[in-house]
Amino acid sequence: MSNESFAIRVGTHQGAKHRQLHVNNQDAKLVENFAVPAWNKRFTVGVVSDGCTGFPAFSRTEVGANLLVVFAYSRVQELVCAGIPLAEIPRVLFQSVTEFIRNLANLVMPSTVAWPYPVKLAKREHVDSTTRFRMDYLSATLLGFVTDGVTLVLFSAGDGIIVVNNDCTVINQDDQPDYPASSINSPGRGFDVRTYQMADVQRLAIMTDGPKDLVVEPEFLGDVFAFKRGNPMGLQVLLVNTFDRRPEKMLDDCTIITIERTTVGTV
């Protein structure tokens, strides 16, 4: 997929509740492309992640969200270069992500370290220090795609929003997402995966669940792609303007990556 054929835009905005509580934007995003000259192919990878607020006084899950998007990108690139078919990448990636979370938590905060909460918290009375670190720093969703311009593979763990052409899917897990961090040592867990042919895709968006009250509005969903079309900062400006006018529709952090076909021809 070449930049002559598709336009890529990114936007993110802190949610109104997080701004009120002085909590950081806990979303993270990354979109990159790389070439494999030996195959005469270029690959594009996009990932968004939404950290779980949990208990705001202790939660720092923007750390996990930002680590996960970078880690996912690097692993996808390695898997591509190892010759793993795109459709198989999510299965291997999920195992890599959960191992990374487990190893990082054990390295930073071993269970032998005393690190109890200073107050009593519901359902966390008996967690050890490693589990506390995983919950407070690494609990985040992961939603992304990889494409070689011919095939598009979408993968998700946790809630979020996926738009393919005119089909908008809101993944709602009742504020209890299946984070990779909570799937460690859980048999059968993995990414939900969708596969498309890029020739059939005119536009694509992946989002954290923050804009869920906005994407039900056809005008906003259209503006995600059309507002200041051709301007790489157009999506960011749209989120800023929308927040200024209607902050009640953006209570949670909102992060979006879009791809839109700009020319007609062979991809």
Side-chain angles (χ1 to χ4, degrees):
M1 183 177 64
S2 68
N3 287 332
E4 290 88 31
S5 297
F6 286 83
I8 299 174
R9 304 203 301 181
V10 181
T12 189
H13 200 287
Q14 182 186 33
K17 279 188 177 179
H18 286 180
R19 178 170 289 192
Q20 184 181 34
L21 295 172
H22 296 284
V23 173
N24 290 340
N25 183 339
Q26 294 177 323
D27 285 356
K29 64 193 180 336
L30 183 144
V31 60
E32 297 284 348
N33 62 75
F34 61 94
V36 182
W39 301 339
N40 193 29
K41 279 189 173 184
R42 179 168 290 276
F43 297 82
T44 301
V45 181
V47 194
V48 298
S49 181
D50 179 4
C52 171
T53 300
F55 295 96
F58 304 103
S59 179
R60 301 291 183 272
T61 52
E62 67 272 14
V63 172
N66 281 280
L67 287 175
L68 285 183
V69 297
V70 177
F71 180 84
Y73 171 67
S74 65
R75 293 295 82 75
V76 168
Q77 186 176 131
E78 289 178 346
L79 293 170
V80 164
C81 293
I84 304 298
L86 293 193
E88 292 296 315
I89 283 178
R91 179 179 59 83
V92 183
L93 177 64
F94 190 85
Q95 180 67 24
S96 296
V97 167
T98 54
E99 286 183 359
F100 168 67
I101 292 170
R102 182 181 63 242
N103 293 339
L104 182 62
N106 287 331
L107 180 65
V108 174
M109 190 56 66
S111 59
T112 52
V113 174
W115 194 37
Y117 287 105
V119 295
K120 186 176 181 179
L121 300 177
K123 299 182 180 180
R124 297 200 187 181
E125 296 91 341
H126 305 295
V127 300
D128 60 29
S129 57
T130 307
T131 304
R132 174 181 172 181
F133 179 78
R134 199 167 65 230
M135 289 179 170
D136 288 345
Y137 285 78
L138 304 179
S139 291
T141 65
L142 198 58
L143 171 59
F145 68 85
V146 55
T147 179
D148 60 358
V150 176
T151 302
L152 168 71
V153 177
L154 290 163
F155 53 91
S156 64
D159 49 27
I161 302 167
I162 298 172
V163 178
V164 179
N165 297 330
N166 295 319
D167 180 22
C168 179
T169 302
V170 178
I171 306 167
N172 187 347
Q173 299 184 340
D174 297 323
D175 292 325
Q176 294 182 326
D178 290 328
Y179 300 115
S182 63
S183 300
I184 294 173
N185 297 328
S186 297
R189 291 290 185 90
F191 288 117
D192 291 327
V193 181
R194 304 181 185 190
T195 303
Y196 300 85
Q197 293 301 303
M198 280 302 294
D200 299 326
V201 177
Q202 299 300 314
R203 63 183 194 175
L204 164 72
I206 59 172
M207 316 181 193
T208 57
D209 71 336
K212 61 187 175 187
D213 292 333
L214 290 167
V215 295
V216 297
E217 304 173 4
E219 182 179 359
F220 176 83
L221 194 54
D223 281 345
V224 164
F225 298 94
F227 183 79
K228 294 186 179 296
R229 181 176 273 121
N231 185 335
M233 291 298 296
L235 183 55
Q236 182 65 43
V237 174
L238 173 66
L239 291 179
V240 171
N241 291 350
T242 304
F243 184 86
D244 288 344
R245 294 195 310 268
R246 299 188 294 165
E248 73 280 359
K249 293 288 187 177
M250 296 173 63
L251 297 179
D252 196 4
D253 305 324
C254 297
T255 299
I256 305 173
I257 295 174
T258 65
I259 294 181
E260 186 178 28
R261 188 184 297 275
T262 58
T263 61
V264 178
T266 301
V267 179

